[in-house]
Amino acid sequence: MSPAPRDRLAALPRGGPGLARRAWNALVLAGCGAGLALVLLPMIMLVAHIVARGLPGLSLAFFVSMPKPVGEPGGGMANAIVGTMILVGACGLIAVRVGGGTGLYLAEYGRGPFAGAVRYAAELLAGVPSIVVGVAAYGLVVLTIGHFSAIAGAIALAILMLPTIVRSTEEVVRLVPRSYREAALALGAPRWRVVQSVVLPAASAGIVTASMLALARAAGETAPLLLTALGNRFWSVALDQPIASLPVMIFDYARAPYSDWNQQAWTGALVLLLLVTAVSAMLRLAVRRIG
Amino acid sequence: MKPRAGWMSLATQTRPPSVAPARGESAPPPPAPAASAPGAPPVAEAPDAISVRDFSLFYGAHPALKHIGFDVPAHSVTAIIGPSGCGKSTLLRSFNRMNDLIAGVRTEGEVRVAGLDVRSADVVELRRRVGMVFQRPNPFPKSIFDNVAFGLRLLGIRDRAELEARVEQSLLRAALWNEVRDRLNRSALQLSGGQQQRLCIARCLAVEPEVILMDEPASALDPTATARIEELVLDLKRAYTIVVVTHNMQQAARISDRTAFLLDGELIEIDETPRLFTSPSRKLTEDYITGRFG
Amino acid sequence: MTSSAPAIGRPLARADVRARAGLADPAYRALLTLFAVGVFAVLALIVWECARGAAPSLAAFGWRFLVSADWDPVAEKFGALPYLYGTLVTSAMAMLLAVPPCIGAAVFLAELAPRGFGAVASFLVELLASITSIVFGVWGLFVLAPWLRVVIEPWLIAHLGFLPLFRGFPFGLGFLNAGIVLAIMIAPTIVSISREILLATSRTLREASLALGATRAESLAVTLDAARPGILGAMILALGRALGETMAVTMVIGNTNRISASLLGSGATMASVIANEFTEATSKLHLAALIELALVLFAVTVVLNAAARLLVRWTTGGRRDVAGAA
């Protein structure tokens, strides 16, 4: 009978970790915490500044009056706010349909190399810079129509939203319990009916939420609109004419050499921040509570 | 332990074996902040490798373990059985405080493992002296050698010859050496599931634990690989104290000296394995081992 | 999932239902497939439109477009070098500033933070990703620029002015400002993707290393090692965003077509010059040159994204395979 084999090599040192290991541990952990602070701090400062400088200009007039000419005090961004709503609405109509259809395809029939390629293409599309999408939409729509227009802007925004909607639709539809489908199939419903009248309604809350999130982001996009919807100092709701939008107006007002315009740019930024971030926050919280 | 020639030859290049009695070695001094010498004399008598006294554990307000109390003698295999969700893994993970990783866990009572009071001991030292083997083999995405050497390097061993000697010794003890001696630098992820699990055992043996905790170590393996792990457990108990959680009663009967039956966070019965399976003293135990529930 | 569903409902099944289903199902599937093809079509159209629009410039300048520093709309000479340079400098600076704290933050959120705090902080980081570029631009222009001009840049000139990087005058607007704004903007991308990768990689590895008596930091080293390709992927994705970011950069970089060795100097990026000059392009060739910039930007970001996505997939998917190897 041999003794316990561990007696053959010298016993390993006993005791807890030494000072060096403890110090390194503390250093690394503190470093990670500092990293988080460093990431969050500028963001918090940014939000604080936007609120502090934007709030003084926030009034009902900002939402309901038109921009005034240079030198005249007051005025608002009513046309830009309405313009952004029109752009976002039109882009939503396009993107939710195409993106939702693609997402549904991926979730229901999405096996094999073609589906994999579609997913990958959508991911690549998500990485295309928005200004490039603007250039493409310019060539595609603005040159075809012959002038800048709201519809060109909506198409550019729709392209930008597409990947998000494709991906989240697929995820949400996949979450619909298998038993729903099986129950409907077992009742003798054909596949397309099952999808249309059982799967889609069950997934609709999720699809709507995801689309709203994507729309909120689209509402803040600026670069592609510069090349497509252009902007408009006047009231216009026509889809085939240049249209004002909040982000483009903020851009113009921030770069203008007039301090009252700059003030309006701050207020516009605050409105945009509230619009986009508050909508995102509420939707995400709602999703968390459901999920 | 057949292939012994390998590490016998290593003995020459190491210090003479310390004459620690089997039990005394598992009772080192309490974690004094000062450096404790390798050959520190055993202090207090630790009659058992693990002793649990009126131990309860809560997830938030929900009690997962209720007033557990039992002892595990050194150099034995103790199996913990019970239906899923009864708290067996939680109990096992209390012995090396892996439950610390879960937020909202609170414990009451006392657990002493390898002479350390689990609640007050330095958690890093505790875990180093209490090895753990998980349900799924979890080798690091590194080479076979680096997997086994991982814990040694943590302890500050840099000398290549010593590392090699200790890695070989650990792989021998885990009955894996002959299968991997020619490919120590290959990725551990290329091994089969059973080999990966034995590698994880070797990795844990390398740092010379006194107690080894095994959480369903064979449940993810095929029958052949399972048989090899069971053989290994029987072999290892000569040098180590082993606690193994299993949902497989045949396995418990095959490998353990003592078996504990846990139900809904309560220790229903603990006894010599043959007796527990042939003449349990509690009705609940009998119902469980005869398959009435679970 | 069976496809021969109608057969199951035999007692009530009518022949015509089955016949209609036989036609309707493939038709439905074809319709959805058409939408899916649409995604490819969009990508292809982007390439096509950019290539078509850039054709005059491609024909006129060829490869010289990328190496010439001469951008003169009046003389109809277009060389993109200043913008390539500006894009490179600002993105590199953003990465240098953002990566170290972001990895620390991701590790903190994935591994160290108490659960409640981790959830709140992760939520904040997600929200920050939704702040739009124009808002960063306004902040960079009105808050960061004056601060840089009055405090930071004079200090840099006084103490580090011996380096060419920090020579010049404190304008507030320029590469330094753009780099800082970009760093803040890409931070949420790096943090949230790295965090997810760490969460996907780490659980089993973390338990394994801690159970061997590793300290938290030593256990992190193992996890980070395994997550390295995925984190690299997150960084490349962020780089792609930085390269293509337009509005915030346009507002703070100063918009000149110079190649300045100093970070305090002004310049322009590919994206910013498109935004600035596109609607005021003076000639067909000018417009074509701007579209060619978009084409270059597209090519670079697509290549980067393709690589990054593969890395991220490989890390997370690969780990799942490893875990299931038993």
Side-chain angles (χ1 to χ4, degrees):
Chain A
M1 232 1 260
S2 61
R6 75 172 95 140
D7 295 333
R8 298 286 160 178
L9 278 162
L12 289 168
R14 290 258 173 245
L19 190 63
R21 285 177 71 193
R22 281 175 204 278
W24 175 243
N25 188 43
L27 195 70
V28 168
L29 300 197
C32 290
L36 183 65
L38 218 54
V39 168
L40 288 180
L41 197 68
M43 299 285 190
I44 293 167
M45 276 168 54
L46 178 132
V47 172
H49 278 127
I50 298 278
V51 172
R53 309 260 309 246
L55 218 46
L58 200 62
S59 64
L60 186 65
F62 182 84
F63 294 95
V64 298
S65 10
M66 293 290 293
K68 293 262 170 73
V70 181
E72 271 184 54
M77 294 191 176
N79 59 334
I81 292 169
V82 170
T84 286
M85 284 176 183
I86 289 173
L87 282 169
V88 167
C91 115
L93 283 181
I94 305 167
V96 171
R97 210 142 290 183
V98 178
T102 308
L104 199 54
Y105 168 80
L106 290 175
E108 288 293 322
Y109 305 100
R111 273 160 229 164
F114 175 70
V118 172
R119 273 185 206 105
Y120 201 60
E123 284 182 359
L124 288 188
L125 195 56
V128 176
S130 61
I131 188 87
V132 174
V133 171
V135 169
Y138 172 85
L140 204 64
V141 189
V142 176
L143 286 186
T144 313
I145 299 180
H147 53 83
F148 295 100
S149 64
I151 190 69
I155 287 173
L157 293 184
I159 294 174
L160 287 170
M161 283 176 64
L162 202 55
T164 325
I165 295 192
V166 169
R167 214 186 75 182
S168 34
T169 305
E170 181 185 357
E171 278 171 14
V172 171
V173 171
R174 276 183 191 279
L175 285 180
V176 174
R178 210 189 153 89
S179 56
Y180 283 25
R181 276 171 246 236
E182 285 172 353
L185 285 169
L187 287 172
R191 180 89 191 247
W192 70 273
R193 280 232 90 134
V194 175
V195 175
Q196 280 292 325
S197 52
V198 177
V199 176
L200 268 186
S204 62
I207 296 177
V208 168
T209 312
S211 306
M212 298 277 288
L213 272 177
L215 281 170
R217 294 209 69 167
E221 278 293 345
T222 319
L225 295 182
L226 284 177
L227 320 188
T228 50
L230 195 64
N232 197 331
R233 302 258 320 136
F234 304 102
W235 182 263
S236 168
V237 292
L239 281 180
D240 62 345
Q241 292 300 319
I243 197 166
S245 62
L246 201 48
V248 172
M249 202 143 198
I250 295 170
F251 179 59
D252 289 339
Y253 274 37
R255 301 217 295 182
Y258 320 111
S259 64
D260 57 331
W261 280 28
N262 292 348
Q263 172 56 48
Q264 293 220 6
W266 275 108
T267 306
L270 174 63
V271 170
L272 204 55
L273 187 77
L274 288 176
L275 200 76
V276 177
T277 310
V279 167
S280 303
M282 281 188 298
L283 288 172
R284 279 175 205 272
L285 283 176
V287 169
R288 276 196 193 180
R289 213 170 308 127
I290 295 164
Chain B
M1 295 285 272
K2 288 277 147 40
R4 196 151 282 166
W7 57 263
M8 287 287 261
S9 61
L10 295 170
T12 52
Q13 56 179 326
T14 56
R15 276 178 264 168
S18 57
V19 275
R23 283 229 170 142
E25 186 166 345
S26 58
S36 48
V43 187
E45 266 302 305
D48 294 296
I50 300 176
S51 72
V52 184
R53 293 282 170 270
D54 194 25
F55 180 73
S56 301
L57 182 144
F58 304 87
Y59 291 121
H62 168 74
L65 296 172
K66 302 167 199 162
H67 308 288
I68 308 269
F70 68 99
D71 297 313
V72 174
H75 301 286
S76 68
V77 178
T78 301
I80 305 177
I81 60 169
S84 31
C86 70
K88 11 183 229 300
S89 287
T90 307
L91 178 60
L92 194 75
R93 292 163 67 94
S94 303
F95 297 156
N96 64 346
R97 272 176 53 187
M98 288 308 271
N99 290 324
D100 284 14
L101 300 177
I102 302 163
V105 166
R106 190 166 55 80
T107 61
E108 284 169 9
E110 191 193 53
V111 179
R112 295 187 71 85
V113 179
L116 296 170
D117 179 344
V118 164
R119 282 222 281 191
S120 60
D122 179 278
V123 69
V124 172
E125 187 194 0
L126 171 75
R127 288 180 183 152
R128 182 249 151 144
R129 287 171 51 183
V130 181
M132 188 166 216
V133 178
F134 296 83
Q135 185 168 5
R136 287 190 172 280
N138 55 0
F140 300 128
K142 298 168 181 276
S143 74
I144 294 169
F145 184 91
D146 287 341
N147 261 280
V148 184
F150 179 82
L152 298 168
R153 289 193 169 122
L154 293 183
L155 293 173
I157 298 174
R158 294 279 176 275
D159 178 56
R160 186 76 195 174
E162 185 179 358
L163 280 177
E164 281 171 4
R166 289 185 185 273
V167 167
E168 180 181 348
Q169 185 190 29
S170 307
L171 286 167
L172 272 170
R173 287 181 189 165
L176 188 61
W177 174 250
N178 289 332
E179 288 157 68
V180 301
R181 61 190 309 165
D182 304 323
R183 43 175 175 155
L184 291 176
N185 290 320
R186 297 266 201 84
S187 165
L189 303 180
Q190 291 173 358
L191 297 174
S192 74
Q195 287 174 324
Q196 286 189 8
Q197 194 64 303
R198 276 179 284 144
L199 178 68
C200 292
I201 293 176
R203 184 175 67 183
C204 134
L205 296 182
V207 290
E208 298 184 354
E210 287 139 51
V211 174
I212 301 176
L213 309 173
M214 297 187 168
D215 191 354
E216 311 223 8
S219 70
L221 305 180
D222 63 56
T224 324
T226 302
R228 300 205 62 170
I229 300 280
E230 289 183 3
E231 247 170 69
L232 184 57
V233 169
L234 288 174
D235 199 21
L236 289 173
K237 85 170 176 187
R238 284 187 293 177
Y240 306 92
T241 308
I242 297 173
V243 182
V244 53
V245 159
T246 178
H247 63 270
N248 180 336
M249 279 181 277
Q250 283 77 28
Q251 185 171 64
R254 281 194 298 268
I255 62 175
S256 69
D257 304 306
R258 286 160 62 81
T259 298
F261 171 52
L262 222 60
L263 182 65
D264 286 335
E266 284 182 65
L267 179 65
I268 304 298
E269 185 169 358
I270 178 165
D271 210 337
E272 305 288 325
T273 299
R275 200 170 331 147
L276 186 119
F277 279 107
T278 50
S279 52
S281 57
R282 298 276 304 265
K283 183 78 171 55
L284 277 170
T285 315
E286 188 181 335
D287 287 350
Y288 181 68
I289 60 180
T290 53
R292 299 256 177 92
F293 66 92
Chain C
M1 207 128 308
T2 53
S3 54
S4 57
I8 301 167
R10 190 148 23 99
L12 283 177
R14 293 168 313 205
D16 59 339
V17 169
R18 204 175 301 180
R20 262 190 291 149
L23 263 179
D25 268 349
Y28 186 70
R29 185 179 179 152
L31 178 72
L32 291 187
T33 312
L34 203 66
F35 283 128
V37 173
V39 175
F40 282 116
V42 166
L43 259 186
L45 273 175
I46 292 176
V47 180
W48 164 249
E49 281 302 334
C50 288
R52 196 177 60 145
S57 164
L58 282 166
F61 306 113
W63 285 109
R64 268 177 302 139
F65 183 74
L66 296 180
V67 292
S68 157
D70 196 11
W71 183 276
D72 186 350
V74 181
E76 298 233 313
K77 278 191 186 155
F78 298 100
L81 197 61
Y83 310 127
L84 291 172
Y85 175 80
T87 307
L88 206 71
V89 169
T90 50
S91 298
M93 197 167 19
M95 295 300 284
L96 278 177
L97 290 174
V99 165
C102 284
I103 290 181
V107 166
F108 191 87
L109 293 177
E111 305 243 346
L112 306 173
R115 200 197 290 171
F117 177 78
V120 171
S122 305
F123 181 68
L124 267 183
V125 171
E126 273 176 50
L127 276 191
L128 298 175
S130 77
I131 297 180
T132 52
S133 150
I134 188 86
V135 173
F136 282 96
V138 169
W139 184 76
L141 186 64
F142 291 127
V143 178
L144 189 58
W147 186 59
L148 287 177
R149 189 174 59 235
V150 175
V151 182
I152 300 298
E153 291 181 350
W155 188 90
L156 285 174
I157 293 165
H159 294 89
L160 297 168
F162 58 91
L163 293 169
L165 276 181
F166 301 110
R167 261 178 217 153
F169 296 97
F171 285 118
L173 297 177
F175 291 136
L176 185 63
N177 193 326
I180 294 173
V181 167
L182 279 179
I184 301 174
M185 291 182 74
I186 62 176
T189 308
I190 306 181
V191 174
S192 52
I193 299 180
S194 302
R195 173 180 159 265
E196 266 167 41
I197 285 173
L198 284 170
L199 286 176
T201 329
S202 67
R203 226 199 117 208
T204 56
L205 293 181
R206 179 175 51 186
E207 291 198 335
S209 51
L210 288 179
L212 284 170
T215 61
R216 290 314 282 255
E218 288 157 350
S219 153
L220 284 177
V222 178
T223 317
L224 277 176
D225 198 40
R228 200 161 39 185
I231 292 178
L232 186 65
M235 282 161 54
I236 300 176
L237 277 181
L239 178 62
R241 281 200 62 183
L243 292 174
E245 176 48 48
T246 312
M247 297 321 294
V249 173
T250 308
M251 292 173 82
V252 300
I253 199 169
N255 299 309
T256 57
N257 59 357
R258 283 181 310 169
I259 296 181
S260 143
S262 169
L263 295 182
L264 309 184
S266 59
T269 67
M270 291 190 274
S272 76
V273 76
I274 299 173
N276 262 318
E277 298 186 5
F278 200 87
T279 49
E280 288 145 24
T282 45
S283 67
K284 255 205 156 73
L285 199 58
H286 189 184
L287 198 62
L290 290 169
I291 297 177
E292 188 175 352
L293 282 178
L295 190 65
V296 173
L297 197 54
F298 177 82
V300 173
T301 48
V302 161
V303 168
L304 281 179
N305 266 281
R309 304 275 176 189
L310 286 177
L311 278 173
V312 170
R313 266 191 201 189
W314 180 47
T315 323
T316 48
R319 279 309 305 173
R320 229 172 284 132
D321 292 346
V322 168

